[in-house]
Amino acid sequence: GVAAGGAKCSILLADLHVALRRVLLSAAAIAGSRSRLMRWYEELVSAIIHARRLREVASWLPASNNVPCPLGDATADNVGRGRRMAGFHLLESFNSIPMRWSAPAAIIELAVPFKCVGIGIHCAPVRPPLSRLRPMFFVNEVPVPASHIELSDYCAVISLDRTPSSILRLAWICQPLNEPRNGRRLGLPIFKISVNEPPK
């Protein structure tokens, strides 16, 4: 029923927030202070507890069908259609091209084809080049080595040795945009996330 579908959606989103907290905890362990590490650990525990509570509630509701994650590129105007994601702002545009800002930490699920060789993150030219920002990327909460990332001015291509699964979670963290007039916390200005993009 409707209640079951809403509960299922809430659980999926809660699981995604748990995954994002794991990414932030990993990043803090690599380059953060002890206080930041403790803060993200506490937030991870809280997110896990919240997800478990939602599962307990959902266990009392009738089952509903899962909505599959769509295969193909995630563009700014279709990124939310069937894909679980966290850390994205509302749709806007840059030079009449659909664009969606991420937060400084964001995560999205992608359905990738068999033997996918790479993922491309294409950004609008409204921040300094990615080669200067140097965001950290994660696949299934595992940090992507720098040797597997090719950065150009406004595109990052992550090469995959092998496709870890048909559904993978891509996450990133970056320095927030310093824009005092904008009350939002802004990360990367996303045009498109392409799947099966070969490294250059």
Side-chain angles (χ1 to χ4, degrees):
V2 174
K8 182 69 175 179
C9 183
S10 296
I11 290 171
L12 294 177
L13 189 57
D15 286 344
L16 206 61
H17 278 285
V18 169
L20 184 57
R21 294 303 184 277
R22 287 198 173 110
V23 164
L24 293 168
L25 184 63
S26 297
I30 294 171
S33 63
R34 180 177 176 81
S35 61
R36 182 174 297 177
L37 187 66
M38 293 302 297
R39 177 166 64 91
W40 286 123
Y41 179 76
E42 290 172 1
E43 293 207 8
L44 172 61
V45 171
S46 297
I48 291 173
I49 292 172
H50 178 63
R52 288 179 177 175
R53 286 174 176 167
L54 286 175
R55 278 195 168 79
E56 181 66 23
V57 171
S59 67
W60 295 90
L61 298 172
S64 63
N65 295 328
N66 291 330
V67 178
C69 180
L71 183 66
D73 297 346
T75 58
D77 54 351
N78 77 7
V79 69
R81 297 176 189 168
R83 294 180 179 87
R84 293 194 291 166
M85 62 180 190
F88 284 84
H89 294 287
L90 296 177
L91 179 67
E92 49 193 282
S93 66
F94 175 80
N95 287 345
S96 301
I97 302 173
M99 184 198 79
R100 192 182 292 262
W101 279 102
S102 80
I107 188 168
I108 183 172
E109 277 193 346
L110 299 169
V112 296
F114 181 62
K115 294 185 178 179
C116 176
V117 295
I119 301 170
I121 300 93
H122 302 264
C123 297
V126 294
R127 290 204 65 174
L130 292 176
S131 54
R132 286 174 52 192
L133 289 177
R134 306 201 69 80
M136 295 177 63
F137 292 99
F138 301 77
V139 172
N140 293 340
E141 292 82 69
V142 177
V144 179
S147 59
H148 286 57
I149 304 172
E150 292 186 12
L151 295 175
S152 59
D153 283 351
Y154 299 104
C155 178
V157 178
I158 298 172
S159 60
L160 302 174
D161 292 333
R162 59 183 179 84
T163 304
S165 60
S166 59
I167 304 291
L168 60 79
R169 294 176 300 279
L170 171 68
W172 59 84
I173 60 173
C174 66
Q175 290 294 325
L177 175 65
N178 185 18
E179 179 53 71
R181 296 171 296 177
N182 195 321
R184 301 175 298 173
R185 286 180 55 77
L186 302 178
L188 298 182
I190 302 296
F191 273 152
K192 179 177 71 171
I193 300 173
S194 57
V195 299
N196 210 23
E197 177 160 334
K200 295 179 176 62

